[in-house]
Amino acid sequence: ALMKYFAMLMVLAHWLANLWALTLTLVDSGTTDRWIDSFTERELELNVMELTEKTPWKLYLTSLYFTIYTITSVGYGDIGPKNYLETCVAIFMIIISGISWAILL
């Protein structure tokens, strides 16, 4: 039963990570701040060749990181919503996380 719940959480985390990454395509990069912008600034300062925003596997891992710490309620604060759409998606993710924990427990 424990493996079943773990698998359900990983599938949920995958879906929510993809939803979080999708917010980048729904908001214009020049009109408002986005959650990825702070990563891009830091990577440009460090002369990173492959930016997280332009590299699919880095973008997925970063989105999955945010999703996992949202689901587990750790909330480090290094990634967070920067505009209304991202805030709405984050609220949705928190509600889904709460419901999933209520079902699991």
Side-chain angles (χ1 to χ4, degrees), residues 44-59:
L44 289 173
E45 289 173 2
L46 298 172
N47 295 322
V48 174
M49 298 302 288
E50 294 180 1
L51 299 176
T52 299
E53 183 177 2
K54 305 291 184 201
T55 311
W57 69 269
K58 282 181 155 183
L59 181 61

Side-chain angles (χ1 to χ4, degrees), residues 7-94:
M8 287 173 47
L9 280 176
M10 290 311 298
V11 168
L12 179 65
H14 171 73
W15 289 342
L16 292 176
N18 286 308
L19 177 64
W20 186 245
L22 180 66
T23 63
L24 296 176
T25 62
L26 299 175
V27 175
D28 293 332
S29 62
T31 59
T32 186
D33 288 339
R34 301 173 307 156
W35 66 267
I36 195 75
D37 294 338
S38 61
F39 274 87
T40 302
E41 289 174 13
R42 187 174 21 186
E43 289 172 337
L44 289 173
E45 289 173 2
L46 298 172
N47 295 322
V48 174
M49 298 302 288
E50 294 180 1
L51 299 176
T52 299
E53 183 177 2
K54 305 291 184 201
T55 311
W57 69 269
K58 282 181 155 183
L59 181 61
Y60 178 75
L61 283 179
T62 306
S63 298
L64 186 63
Y65 166 74
F66 172 76
T67 301
I68 293 294
Y69 83 61
T70 300
I71 289 174
T72 59
S73 300
V74 173
Y76 295 117
D78 55 345
I79 303 173
K82 302 283 192 225
N83 58 55
Y84 291 117
L85 176 68
E86 292 172 358
T87 302
C88 290
V89 171
I91 290 169
F92 174 75
M93 291 171 68
I94 292 167

